[in-house]
Amino acid sequence: EVQLVESGGGSVQSGGSLRLSCAASGFTFNSYWMHWVRQAPGKGLVWVSRINVDASVTTYADSVRGRFTISRDNARKTIYLQMNSLRVEDTALYYCARLPVVGAQAIDNWGRGTLVTVSS
Amino acid sequence: QSALTQPRSVSGSPGQSVTISCTGTSSDVGGYNYVSWYQQHPGKAPKLMISDVSERPSGVPDRFSGSKSGNTASLTISGLQAEDEADYYCCSYAGTYTYVFGTGTMVTVL
């Protein structure tokens, strides 16, 4: 069974940092690009970041570029999102998700999310 | 990276069909055949319903279908059922390994 389990969320003050983790299991981890997607309370989905299989290419939404860093450890089957200079508007449920390198070009599995709350 | 535009809500009676539009630009929806659709029930993670504009993953009922014309993609739910009541989001590849989601549509079964 495919599982993506996020952790590391919590409450932090504006300007602070958090590091999110996502542990993957039940599939061939290095056959998938991995993503972070967030959803503010009562709002829609927003794509945040993507990392390719060997971590050589990372991309970010304009709203987080320069503040967030995505990384992956294929040996541990885990991805991370280092979030610095956090802002109130970064408050959201952060989902880890996978997209297959080969086949349908769509996010086909999501974790349950980890909540990040940034206060002023 | 502006969000794709979706109607805020659509509704229909059981058995009817509803269509949700997703309007972007030539840099995202119009430029690639990588539009996907997700269903999200309250408090749950999104679920993939359509990939690559019109491909239905295994296990998704065939009453869900997708299409695209120009810069607008569409999701049609035929034979609407009570369990289809949820939020729906489109997503498009936007080039240079970036992606953009739609604003989301609430589907109500009357």
Side-chain angles (χ1 to χ4, degrees), chain B residues 47-101:
Chain B
K47 175 188 176 183
L48 177 64
M49 304 303 284
I50 295 288
S51 69
D52 299 341
V53 175
S54 60
E55 297 300 311
R56 200 171 42 250
S58 173
V60 173
D62 60 7
R63 63 178 184 276
F64 289 88
S65 62
S67 63
K68 190 186 85 166
S69 178
N71 296 335
T72 298
S74 299
L75 174 72
T76 297
I77 310 173
S78 306
L80 199 61
Q81 297 186 7
E83 60 261 37
D84 299 334
E85 186 162 293
D87 293 326
Y88 291 81
Y89 295 90
C90 61
C91 179
S92 175
Y93 180 67
T96 325
Y97 306 117
T98 65
Y99 298 78
V100 59
F101 280 91

Side-chain angles (χ1 to χ4, degrees), chain B residues 16-34:
Chain B
Q16 288 187 329
S17 293
V18 295
T19 296
I20 303 168
S21 60
C22 169
T23 302
T25 69
S26 58
S27 296
D28 38 61
V29 174
Y32 308 92
N33 287 323
Y34 296 142

